Amino acid sequence: MEIAKKIALRLLLIAIIISATALIYKRYFHYNFLKKEGILLSRLNHSINADYLFFSASSDYTFDPINDADTTRVSILAMNYCDKSIKSIAEGAHHAGVFKELIKHIPKHQIEGIIVAMNIRSFSPEWLTDINENALQQFAALYKPNPPLMARLNVALKNYPIKTKRELEKKRFEYFSNWKLPYDFPKNNIENWCAVEKYGDWRNPKRQLADHYIKSYAFVIDEEHLRLRDFDKIVELAKLKELNLIFHILPEDVQEAQTLIGTELTDLMSANRDFLINRYHFPKKNVWVVDNLEKVDHMDFTDRDFPTEHYNQNGRTIIAKSIAEQLNAIK
Amino acid sequence: MLFNSVQFLVFFPLVIAVYYLVNYKWRWLLLLVASYIFYGSWKIEFLSLIVISTLVDFYVAKQLSQTDNTHKRWKYLLVSLSCNLGMLLFFKYGSFLANLTLPFAPIPDWRKEQLLGFLSFDLPVGISFYTFQTTGYTIDIFKNKIKPEKHLGKFTLYVSYFPQLVAGPIERFDHLQPQLTSKHILTYKNLSHGARLMLYGFFMKMVIADNLAPLVDSIFETPLSYSLSTKWAGILGFGWQIYADFCGYSLIAIGAAKCMGVELMTNFKTPYFANSIQDFWRRWHISLSTWFRDYVFVPLGGSKVNQFIWIRNILVVFILSGIWHGANYTFLIWGAIHGVFYLLERFVRLPNSPFLKPIYWLKTYLVVSFAWLFFRASDLNNAWDVLLGVNISKAPKIIETPIELILAFALFVLLEVVFRKEKINQLLDRTPFVIRWSGYAVVLFFILSFSGTTNHPFIYFQF
């Protein structure tokens, strides 16, 4: 009995220390911590006064500041073509899995809506099993709507899925061989499909680039795809918070895909785009999908040695106009 | 399951509660199940290795106890050594050895690639620790130092006892096993002593090591972007990182066991206060250095041999302990530096004066830190770049050290100075309640508010 009393008293003391720490941390330290390690949430907390929040990744800003005459972000450019104020919540390589946690923080009736980038490449096995995914899971854990000290502890105690490089590689090769494609061998899955017959040896840079395109776009998005769960959650949250939701499908370098591989690949890209539009475009439910997949010309992509969604000023302006057009159309 | 994880924070109190609730006769079974859950949570496949090691050593020990035939005894010992060291070699050095030898093998390239692919897997966590522990057990039986455990379940628990399973301390059978099966009564003293050690261990790991890790990583990953002074700060930083990381783990392990009434051996005794390399090794990873002393150095002849053999024995032990960390020349150099300076200190006798102690301390600290450079570097080129590589950028990158890390580090050094003279629990036992709890509050505040956030598992898990 004596020992139970002693333990209970100590547990009470520990509870008091933890409560006091939670208060002190929230008051004096969390703001600086977010500025350093949770920049998107920090940005979101300062952006609640806008009409629309723009959730995106590196496609929002320039990746070629030297050659770009104008380095304005898509989210800012869009404001030139509509009368809504838009604030950017964008950070390189982020995807819907992180955005959904951030959207949970938006208070009801504070803003009109959200614009969320839909990157078809983020559905690919390469992206799903990228080592960067561990860092993104860490962000997602930090952005969960928990009290500040608990959010921080979740990250410090690694309370999120962590995979080793080898585990991720193994998973990637599983996807490469298990995800079926609607073609005959050798194009029946990513593992078998390579650009060897067209460009020969892998030392040929064209062959390397072509293979990157296959790995990035040769897949079929179906109802079972993991990434859809994130977009579904975003739809659910937008409905709950009564927000207009605009998904914009990011432009991909379809012309380059056509040149390097051919219609077999671009058909898959189009089919995936159509699938996403059919699944999510419901204006009556305040969800719109803006199709920008083929809107940007090959010349307006800034990267040449890897498929990316990095555009020059002209490319970004085209996207901005397209989004603004949709915003103007919303009654 | 990591110690610094939500899972462990639920798992451990639950195990402790059930441990004291069940009849002591069945506690071994509870601990065994808990240990297998703890280890299996990494990867269930890894359990098969620990089972193999356990069964082989249990069987070998039994056979050893039943025969006096020297030839047979050697045969049994060889079975155990080949199984344990074979597993260790295969998982730890298989890929390295294949890379060295395959280019000369008369087989087609695709087959070589296939073999290399087969050999590239995640190292089973803690394999070096439990294979050393079971190997030590079998050697002790072979030398008739101890009697074998007759109960397979209890022996399995000795091999897999979860607090020390994956990163030590490497325990001896005659020290750990009787404690695992004896009756421990729930006492406030055991709980509080254990909890204190765990609290300080978490502080070392989560606040000090995990905050230093990204700074050190950044310097070692791109050494040419930093100035020489920053790089040296990185080397010293790594010394503190690995100490806080490993000693932190050991303290949590010792504390967790203490809560169950089990005393594990001390693994660190404020090593950075050592005045010589010999002194350093009396304070650093004590369970491994004593293991090497008893199972490598002594069988090689120990100190009772001529000077030439003795020098060879010392170098073998240090180089082996270097290679034990992994298949890389950097570890070999790390071990060799310690070995060479150990010998130098023995041959160049310095005057024993209290006034010279600070100089001896500084010399030891610098040698140990210099050796850490090789331990941390990914390869010899990387070590060279960190040590002397010329900064190629016009403006070297600056490491920003957050104020909370500076405060935490100051607190850590202060506590190290305090604990140098007296053990944590001895000191805290005679400290008044209010001061003691104020101390706990500060340490807990640092853990909760300033723990590192990047993903850095315990460094010694990879060994």
Side-chain angles (χ1 to χ4, degrees):
Chain A
M1 203 54 206
E2 188 60 29
I3 190 171
K5 251 188 189 172
K6 268 189 161 183
I7 293 170
L9 178 68
R10 267 68 177 176
L11 288 177
L12 183 68
L13 272 172
I14 291 169
I16 292 169
I17 294 170
I18 293 174
S19 309
T21 302
L23 286 174
I24 296 168
Y25 176 75
K26 186 181 174 186
R27 177 82 178 78
Y28 298 104
F29 300 105
H30 193 56
Y31 178 78
N32 282 338
F33 175 73
L34 279 186
K35 273 211 306 196
K36 214 175 84 189
E37 296 198 34
I39 190 67
L40 287 192
L41 184 54
S42 173
R43 220 174 275 163
L44 185 136
N45 289 336
H46 287 100
S47 307
I48 299 299
N49 51 356
D51 294 327
Y52 277 83
L53 296 184
F54 187 90
F55 292 91
S56 185
S58 55
S59 53
D60 185 32
Y61 45 86
T62 183
F63 248 72
D64 190 10
I66 297 166
N67 296 317
D68 250 355
D70 184 348
T71 58
T72 315
R73 286 168 176 253
V74 173
S75 44
I76 311 286
L77 285 168
M79 286 195 281
N80 295 338
Y81 306 101
C82 66
D83 58 358
K84 302 290 181 194
S85 63
I86 303 169
K87 286 206 172 163
S88 167
I89 313 290
E91 196 66 23
H94 280 47
H95 56 61
V98 182
F99 299 150
K100 74 171 189 242
E101 299 302 338
L102 288 161
I103 292 165
K104 289 176 187 168
H105 288 265
I106 300 174
K108 218 172 171 181
H109 305 308
Q110 203 85 22
I111 59 168
E112 277 183 43
I114 51 177
I115 303 157
V116 179
M118 208 171 226
N119 183 343
I120 286 186
R121 205 162 53 91
S122 76
F123 288 79
S124 70
E126 288 239 303
W127 196 309
L128 288 174
T129 57
D130 193 284
I131 192 72
N132 191 38
E133 194 56 28
N134 283 337
L136 292 175
Q137 290 299 331
Q138 182 182 326
F139 283 124
L142 178 64
Y143 296 152
K144 279 186 197 301
N146 288 320
L149 189 67
M150 199 195 283
R152 196 191 195 290
L153 275 177
N154 260 337
V155 177
L157 292 170
K158 324 289 178 267
N159 193 19
Y160 53 89
I162 298 172
K163 297 261 189 309
T164 65
K165 206 176 158 191
R166 284 205 181 99
E167 285 170 336
L168 287 166
E169 271 171 13
K170 198 176 155 205
K171 196 84 201 157
R172 184 178 315 154
F173 287 113
E174 263 176 44
Y175 288 155
F176 279 175
S177 53
N178 293 347
W179 284 14
K180 300 291 170 225
L181 296 174
Y183 303 124
D184 292 331
F185 179 83
K187 295 176 183 176
N188 58 338
N189 61 34
I190 302 180
E191 195 190 8
N192 298 333
W193 188 356
C194 70
V196 63
E197 72 268 26
K198 205 165 177 183
Y199 300 107
D201 192 68
W202 65 269
R203 278 169 291 198
N204 179 352
K206 279 237 165 183
R207 155 84 192 278
Q208 288 176 26
L209 186 60
D211 280 353
H212 279 317
Y213 268 79
I214 292 168
K215 284 174 186 161
S216 298
Y217 301 111
F219 55 87
V220 175
I221 304 176
D222 58 19
E223 285 296 334
E224 302 303 312
H225 200 290
L226 288 172
R227 188 66 82 212
L228 292 180
R229 305 288 86 80
D230 298 330
F231 287 104
D232 289 351
K233 187 71 192 173
I234 290 174
V235 173
E236 192 189 306
L237 287 167
K239 190 178 169 196
L240 193 78
K241 292 175 183 280
E242 295 171 21
L243 296 167
N244 291 333
L245 171 58
I246 298 167
F247 287 125
H248 85 97
I249 296 179
L250 289 174
E252 306 291 346
D253 198 344
V254 182
Q255 291 170 357
E256 181 78 332
Q258 173 68 39
T259 314
L260 285 167
I261 314 290
T263 46
E264 279 158 323
L265 190 66
T266 53
D267 282 354
L268 282 175
M269 294 167 85
S270 306
N272 287 334
R273 178 258 321 270
D274 296 344
F275 177 88
L276 292 172
I277 294 174
N278 288 335
R279 196 171 198 278
Y280 291 111
H281 186 70
F282 286 104
K284 280 185 184 164
K285 290 182 179 175
N286 294 340
V287 184
W288 295 266
V289 180
V290 180
D291 174 18
N292 289 329
L293 180 69
E294 294 168 68
K295 288 225 169 111
V296 176
D297 262 11
H298 170 66
M299 290 313 293
D300 291 331
F301 282 83
T302 56
D303 294 321
R304 290 281 172 269
D305 53 359
F306 201 86
T308 65
E309 294 74 30
H310 298 156
Y311 323 102
N312 64 13
Q313 189 213 349
N314 192 40
R316 289 197 307 280
T317 308
I318 291 167
I319 303 165
K321 274 185 185 167
S322 161
I323 292 168
E325 215 170 275
Q326 180 59 62
L327 287 174
N328 289 331
I330 296 173
K331 299 271 184 327
Chain B
M1 186 184 311
L2 291 168
F3 280 161
N4 53 335
S5 69
V6 174
Q7 291 92 318
F8 186 76
L9 294 184
V10 175
F11 168 86
F12 181 65
L14 203 68
V15 171
I16 291 292
V18 182
Y19 177 80
Y20 283 114
L21 283 174
V22 298
N23 187 306
Y24 85 97
K25 287 177 185 166
W26 295 106
R27 283 180 186 166
W28 69 268
L29 185 59
L30 166 77
L31 288 179
L32 179 59
V33 172
S35 299
Y36 269 56
I37 292 173
F38 178 84
Y39 193 69
S41 69
W42 266 286
K43 254 189 190 175
I44 199 92
E45 304 95 280
F46 289 169
L47 279 174
S48 57
L49 300 173
I50 207 166
V51 168
I52 292 170
S53 186
T54 305
L55 290 176
V56 167
D57 282 295
F58 182 75
Y59 171 78
V60 165
K62 205 173 159 190
Q63 297 303 317
L64 281 172
S65 68
Q66 287 169 356
T67 178
D68 289 327
N69 182 314
T70 317
H71 179 68
K72 274 188 178 173
R73 287 176 70 80
W74 271 105
K75 244 170 58 179
Y76 287 125
L77 180 65
L78 273 176
V79 169
S80 164
L81 291 180
S82 352
C83 169
N84 287 309
L85 300 182
M87 265 187 346
L88 199 59
L89 270 174
F90 178 75
F91 283 102
K92 221 165 165 171
Y93 310 103
S95 176
F96 176 78
L97 293 174
N99 270 310
L100 273 185
T101 52
L102 274 180
F104 309 105
I107 49 172
D109 282 354
W110 65 269
R111 176 67 81 187
K112 287 176 189 172
E113 269 175 38
Q114 209 176 33
L115 273 169
L116 284 174
F118 172 69
L119 286 169
S120 65
F121 29 59
D122 289 322
L123 181 71
V125 183
I127 188 167
S128 309
F129 289 91
Y130 66 75
T131 49
F132 268 38
Q133 190 157 305
T134 49
T135 305
Y137 164 78
T138 310
I139 296 173
D140 282 350
I141 301 271
F142 177 79
K143 289 179 170 174
N144 291 320
K145 273 188 178 174
I146 53 169
K147 292 260 178 281
E149 172 61 63
K150 287 180 182 149
H151 192 292
L152 176 62
K154 289 176 184 172
F155 177 70
T156 309
L157 174 61
Y158 161 69
V159 180
S160 61
Y161 183 49
F162 76 85
Q164 45 89 239
L165 171 60
V166 286
I170 302 165
E171 282 290 336
R172 306 300 169 86
F173 181 78
D174 52 348
H175 180 243
L176 181 60
Q177 185 70 351
Q179 296 190 69
L180 291 178
T181 45
S182 57
K183 188 175 180 179
H184 298 286
I185 303 161
L186 172 66
T187 64
Y188 177 74
K189 194 180 166 190
N190 277 346
L191 285 184
S192 67
H193 281 198
R196 285 171 191 167
L197 295 175
M198 290 176 83
L199 184 71
Y200 189 47
F202 280 120
F203 172 76
M204 287 177 88
K205 165 63 184 161
M206 294 173 71
V207 182
I208 304 301
D210 285 357
N211 275 309
L212 281 172
L215 308 181
V216 172
D217 286 356
S218 156
I219 292 170
F220 274 82
E221 276 158 21
T222 53
L224 298 181
S225 314
Y226 294 96
S227 67
L228 203 63
S229 56
T230 309
K231 289 193 286 186
W232 265 92
I235 298 170
L236 299 183
F238 176 68
W240 286 99
Q241 181 203 339
I242 193 169
Y243 170 55
D245 192 283
F246 195 15
C247 180
Y249 182 93
S250 295
L251 282 177
I252 299 169
I254 294 166
K258 181 76 189 167
C259 289
M260 296 176 233
V262 175
E263 297 274 353
L264 297 182
M265 73 179 289
T266 304
N267 218 12
F268 292 88
K269 286 181 185 167
T270 55
Y272 290 141
F273 289 106
N275 288 320
S276 66
I277 295 297
Q278 190 180 14
D279 187 22
F280 176 80
W281 282 101
R282 283 195 205 109
R283 296 157 173 264
W284 179 273
H285 202 177
I286 300 164
S287 65
L288 181 72
S289 47
T290 49
W291 193 98
F292 271 108
R293 182 197 63 202
D294 295 347
Y295 301 112
V296 180
F297 182 68
V298 173
L300 283 172
S303 306
K304 295 169 190 165
V305 285
N306 69 47
Q307 205 171 57
F308 178 76
I309 303 284
W310 177 78
I311 291 171
R312 183 206 66 182
N313 293 351
I314 292 288
L315 285 176
V316 164
V317 166
F318 276 107
I319 287 171
L320 268 184
S321 74
I323 297 172
W324 174 81
H325 289 92
N328 198 332
Y329 298 112
T330 51
F331 292 125
L332 191 144
I333 293 174
W334 173 79
I337 292 172
H338 277 276
V340 168
F341 276 91
Y342 183 96
L343 291 172
L344 275 175
E345 281 173 1
R346 290 297 290 265
F347 287 113
V348 185
R349 287 278 176 196
L350 297 167
N352 189 10
S353 153
F355 299 107
L356 292 172
K357 272 194 174 169
I359 295 170
Y360 298 159
W361 166 80
L362 184 65
K363 173 216 66 181
T364 308
Y365 181 63
L366 290 178
V367 169
V368 169
S369 299
F370 176 66
W372 284 134
L373 159 71
F374 293 94
F375 192 96
R376 173 61 182 80
S378 53
D379 52 40
L380 293 180
N381 286 335
N382 183 232
W384 176 259
D385 286 345
V386 175
L387 186 64
L388 290 169
V390 180
N391 181 2
I392 46 168
S393 61
K394 280 177 191 162
K397 275 206 259 178
I398 293 165
I399 292 279
E400 276 179 39
T401 317
I403 182 73
E404 53 267 24
L405 178 58
I406 297 171
L407 287 175
F409 193 74
L411 175 66
F412 174 50
V413 174
L414 178 75
L415 290 172
E416 284 295 294
V417 172
V418 173
F419 297 144
R420 178 192 168 201
K421 295 280 177 201
E422 199 170 3
K423 282 188 171 176
I424 297 176
N425 278 319
Q426 277 174 358
L427 180 77
L428 289 174
D429 277 346
R430 56 177 184 78
T431 308
F433 182 87
V434 176
I435 298 175
R436 200 169 66 228
W437 273 85
S438 306
Y440 298 158
V442 171
V443 171
L444 197 55
F445 176 80
F446 269 97
I447 294 172
L448 296 172
S449 306
F450 303 129
S451 288
T453 52
T454 47
N455 173 29
H456 280 90
F458 287 95
I459 295 173
Y460 263 73
F461 279 10
Q462 62 187 296
F463 305 134

